């Protein structure tokens, strides 16, 4: 049995580690020219993974932590497409666009806030620049079920999209009203049916726990309804409440948020419930059926983590295109401008809209490997690590091992000379377990207004 009191003591602000170093370390000291050098030096035999940020939404969901531009103006959307196309043309001067593409992802915002013709125009431009999509490439789109119709799904299906992800968050009406996202079950069901009609290989749904008025009882009902839609994958995110960064979150009454112990009970129940329905936990916040490739990857210890979450595709260079998008090479992270004016100005000047990033040194790469292994596979094969990096784990990470002693004493991890492994309860605290390996965290430790809470 879980000791909830003890467990909630671990709740503290901490990164979600979609990157290491985290975005807090991104800065303009990694200059535009240095970024271009990294792009030019890329190994052409490595495949590409393309991320397009399509930032528009009509109304704000109060919990939203994504990079969104709220508008309903058609001309703004058309103008954005023009700039995306120009950005790709500039990119083609700096990378070999004939490299094979193994992944394409449309993220948002709400990509399907673009209508069918607009989506078609974006996709045609992508395919005219990047001609070498591999057979079976993963092509995916994030979709708000309130904004999807038959025509849009048809366009995507004909263009080879084979994965979609729907935002649900919660089915409870009181919760929906409190977060300003009223989305009746029937709307989500219709969107699901469309995805099946167009033979999407994998359908994911997003839920969030930690929202206003949620309790174990309400969330049980949400899970029942979500399961009835029979998705292939679930993301069950821990609500990241950072009102000092996201103004719309200030509209949420913090006294209505569930306490850490309630959140933990929700997550514990979710894991058991998913298990009873044949889904297995993948990484920190995902669940998949055993036949899903994410599940197979975790079995082989080959799950990877990047800005889009978990993936089976390691070893590709991720190129971010569009406002605020983030790219990731073997030894750098690069983020585009967040402000539309600055984004457009750069492209008008014939430059890539790169704003800031970080070049990784040897220590960063070593820690990145350890943190991403833990975040993805909940274990670290120390022998494999030592062979890869030619360092002695025990002496290199003596401090971290000391910090992990309480976790070991509480049975959350086991540490042997050859392996670090989380217990099933320890997986719920994986962010806390990764923090001791983060060289930058000490600098931020005194600032509570940096990251969301881990529990
Ligand atoms: C870009 S949205 C998905 C597509 C579409 N815009 C929608 O909402 O349906 C990405 C997902 O991030 C999750 N999300 C957004 N803000 C979050 C937050 N503050 N904490 C945790 N998850 C969050 C939601 O589950 C959401 O579905
Ligand atoms: S959760 Fe999705 S629909 Fe809601 S504001 Fe954020 S990006 Fe837009």
């Amino acid at each position: 049995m879980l000791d909830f009191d003890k467990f909630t003591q671990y709740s503290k602000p901490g990164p979600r580690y979609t990157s290491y170093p985290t975005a807090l370390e991104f800065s303009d000291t990694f200059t535009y020219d240095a970024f271009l050098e990294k792009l030019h030096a890329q190994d052409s035999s490595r495949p590409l993974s393309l991320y397009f940020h399509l930032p528009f939404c009509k109304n704000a969901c109060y919990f939203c932590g994504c990079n969104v531009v709220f508008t309903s103006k058609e001309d703004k959307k058309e103008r954005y497409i023009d700039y995306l196309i120009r950005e790709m043309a500039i990119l083609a001067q700096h990378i070999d666009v004939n490299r094979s593409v193994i992944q394409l992802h449309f993220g948002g915002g709400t990509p399907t806030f673009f209508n069918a013709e607009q989506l078609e125009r974006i996709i045609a431009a992508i395919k005219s620049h990047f001609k070498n999509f591999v057979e079976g490439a993963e092509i995916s789109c994030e979709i708000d079920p309130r904004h999807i119709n038959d025509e849009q799904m048809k366009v995507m299906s004909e263009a080879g999209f084979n994965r979609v992800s729907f935002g649900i968050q919660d089915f409870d009406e009181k919760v929906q009203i409190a977060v300003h996202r009223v989305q009746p079950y029937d709307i989500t069901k219709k969107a699901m049916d469309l995805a099946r009609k167009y033979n999407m290989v994998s359908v994911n749904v997003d839920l969030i726990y930690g929202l206003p008025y949620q309790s174990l009882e309400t969330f049980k009902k949400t899970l029942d309804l979500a399961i009835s839609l029979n998705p292939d994958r679930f993301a069950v995110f821990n609500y990241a409440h950072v009102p000092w960064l996201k103004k719309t979150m200030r509209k949420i009454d913090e006294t209505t948020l569930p306490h850490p112990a309630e959140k933990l009970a929700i997550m514990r129940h979710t894991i058991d419930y998913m298990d009873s329905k044949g889904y297995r936990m993948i990484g920190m916040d995902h669940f998949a059926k055993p036949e899903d490739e994410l599940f197979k990857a975790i079995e082989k210890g080959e799950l990877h983590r990047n800005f889009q979450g978990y993936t089976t595709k390691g070893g590709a260079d991720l190129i971010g295109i569009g406002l605020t998008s983030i790219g990731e090479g073997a030894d750098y992270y690069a983020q585009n401008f967040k402000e539309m004016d600055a984004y457009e100005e750069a492209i008008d000047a014939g430059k890539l809209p790169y704003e800031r990033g970080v070049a990784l040194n040897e220590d960063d790469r070593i820690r990145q490997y350890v943190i991403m292994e833990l975040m993805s596979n909940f274990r670290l094969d120390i022998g494999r690590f030592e062979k890869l990096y030619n360092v002695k784990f025990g002496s290199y990470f003596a401090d971290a091992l000391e910090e992990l002693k309480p976790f070991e004493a509480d049975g959350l991890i086991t540490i042997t000379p050859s392996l670090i492994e989380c217990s099933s309860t320890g997986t719920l605290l994986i962010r806390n377990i990764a923090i001791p390996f983060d060289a930058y965290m000490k600098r931020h430790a005194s600032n509570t207004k940096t990251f969301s809470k881990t529990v």
Side-chain angles (χ1 to χ4, degrees):
M1 254 316 269
L2 266 177
D3 180 345
F4 280 145
D5 287 339
K6 184 180 264 177
F7 203 93
T8 52
Q9 282 168 18
Y10 283 105
S11 176
K12 66 173 187 177
R16 297 170 44 78
Y17 293 117
T18 48
S19 71
Y20 180 82
T22 68
L24 273 189
E25 312 311 323
F26 294 7
S27 79
D28 56 9
T29 54
F30 179 44
T31 62
Y32 182 69
D33 288 341
F35 166 55
L36 287 190
E37 260 175 48
K38 294 279 185 203
L39 279 187
H40 298 164
Q42 278 189 353
D43 173 357
S44 281
S45 66
R46 272 164 67 98
L48 292 173
S49 169
L50 306 175
Y51 173 80
F52 283 78
H53 193 68
L54 306 180
F56 301 109
C57 281
K58 196 169 176 185
N59 299 308
C61 308
Y62 294 159
F63 59 79
C64 183
C66 307
N67 288 310
V68 185
V69 174
F70 296 103
T71 190
S72 1
K73 295 206 176 100
E74 276 311 305
D75 57 334
K76 270 204 175 177
K77 290 194 262 175
E78 290 291 343
R79 185 182 167 104
Y80 187 70
I81 298 175
D82 293 341
Y83 275 92
L84 278 184
I85 295 173
R86 290 168 63 191
E87 184 180 351
M88 277 189 270
I90 300 168
L91 192 60
Q93 299 164 16
H94 297 289
I95 62 166
D96 175 3
V97 286
N98 293 314
R99 288 161 67 182
S100 50
V101 178
I102 57 169
Q103 258 180 337
L104 166 66
H105 184 72
F106 281 6
T110 298
T112 49
F113 205 41
F114 288 96
N115 65 32
E117 294 80 59
Q118 290 166 331
L119 287 172
E120 209 163 16
R121 202 170 139 226
I122 299 169
I123 296 165
I126 295 171
K127 295 216 165 155
S128 77
H129 281 101
F130 299 93
K131 297 198 171 65
N132 287 326
F133 275 77
V134 301
E135 184 76 25
E138 265 183 38
I139 309 187
S140 54
C141 184
E142 289 171 18
I143 297 176
D144 179 340
R146 299 168 300 171
H147 294 283
I148 180 75
N149 61 33
D150 196 291
E151 272 180 298
Q152 289 169 305
M153 197 67 93
K154 185 161 182 262
V155 162
M156 286 195 277
S157 161
E158 285 173 358
F161 278 68
N162 43 31
R163 289 172 160 69
V164 290
S165 176
F166 292 118
I168 296 177
Q169 328 309 348
D170 194 298
F171 280 117
D172 187 279
E173 207 186 344
K174 190 169 177 188
V175 176
Q176 290 192 352
I177 291 170
V179 299
H180 200 236
R181 183 187 176 115
V182 175
Q183 180 181 322
Y185 175 81
D186 286 354
I187 287 187
T188 309
K189 172 85 172 67
K190 269 193 194 137
M192 240 11 227
D193 291 345
L194 266 186
R196 298 299 181 203
K197 176 177 168 192
Y198 287 102
N199 299 319
M200 292 295 156
V201 174
S202 177
V203 182
N204 174 82
V205 298
D206 292 339
L207 300 176
I208 303 182
Y209 70 101
L211 293 177
Y213 299 111
Q214 276 178 340
S215 66
L216 178 57
E217 289 318 304
T218 66
F219 206 73
K220 278 182 179 172
K221 289 186 193 138
T222 284
L223 283 175
D224 276 340
L225 286 171
I227 283 275
S228 73
L229 297 167
N230 194 25
D232 303 285
R233 291 180 189 169
F234 277 91
V236 185
F237 296 118
N238 181 355
Y239 171 43
H241 186 59
V242 286
W244 56 91
L245 294 177
K246 296 280 171 187
K247 267 195 193 143
T248 54
M249 291 183 186
R250 294 179 203 161
K251 300 201 174 171
I252 288 182
D253 174 0
E254 289 182 349
T255 63
T256 64
L257 296 176
H259 291 288
E262 188 78 26
K263 287 176 69 180
L264 215 53
I266 291 176
M267 196 51 192
R268 190 72 259 181
H269 168 79
T270 303
I271 295 169
D272 294 342
Y273 180 80
M274 291 292 183
D275 194 64
S276 74
K277 298 288 175 186
Y279 294 81
R280 297 284 177 276
M281 193 172 178
I282 309 291
M284 190 171 59
D285 37 28
H286 284 66
F287 297 86
K289 293 181 176 172
E291 55 274 20
D292 191 289
E293 56 189 6
L294 281 184
F295 182 78
K296 289 183 194 148
I298 202 168
E299 295 263 281
K300 289 191 235 151
E302 286 173 1
L303 194 68
H304 303 275
R305 183 162 172 81
N306 65 20
F307 282 99
Q308 292 144 50
Y310 292 101
T311 173
T312 57
K313 308 266 193 260
D317 288 320
L318 172 65
I319 306 287
I321 298 158
L323 195 73
T324 81
S325 65
I326 296 176
E328 175 181 353
D331 58 358
Y332 73 87
Y333 292 102
Q335 182 165 29
N336 277 355
F337 282 106
K338 287 184 171 172
E339 300 298 329
M340 193 67 91
D341 288 350
Y343 170 77
E344 291 184 353
E345 242 167 61
I347 293 172
D348 287 339
K351 293 168 81 178
L352 285 173
Y354 166 81
E355 183 181 21
R356 57 196 194 117
V358 61
L360 274 62
N361 61 31
E362 180 68 5
D363 179 64
D364 292 331
R365 279 207 294 270
I366 288 173
R367 291 173 188 275
Q368 180 190 49
Y369 177 85
V370 171
I371 289 175
M372 293 306 171
E373 277 298 298
L374 289 171
M375 294 299 296
S376 306
N377 299 306
F378 297 136
R379 67 203 293 279
L380 178 77
D381 180 334
I382 293 174
R384 193 166 158 187
F385 163 84
E386 290 187 334
K387 254 195 218 136
L388 272 172
Y389 292 97
N390 201 22
V391 286
K392 280 266 153 255
F393 186 81
S395 44
Y396 201 90
F397 288 115
D399 290 0
L401 290 172
E402 192 59 35
E403 279 181 58
L404 286 175
K405 282 197 170 141
F407 293 85
E408 219 180 348
D410 283 341
L412 297 164
I413 45 171
T414 43
I415 304 178
T416 69
S418 59
L419 192 71
I420 295 184
E421 193 157 35
C422 297
S423 69
S424 73
T425 310
T427 60
L428 298 175
L429 285 168
I430 191 64
R431 290 160 73 183
N432 301 72
I433 290 167
I435 286 171
F437 296 99
D438 181 338
Y440 300 93
M441 200 52 196
K442 297 206 171 50
R443 230 187 277 162
H444 305 301
S446 56
N447 186 355
T448 53
K449 294 249 154 95
T450 310
F451 300 108
S452 60
K453 286 217 174 127
T454 54
V455 182

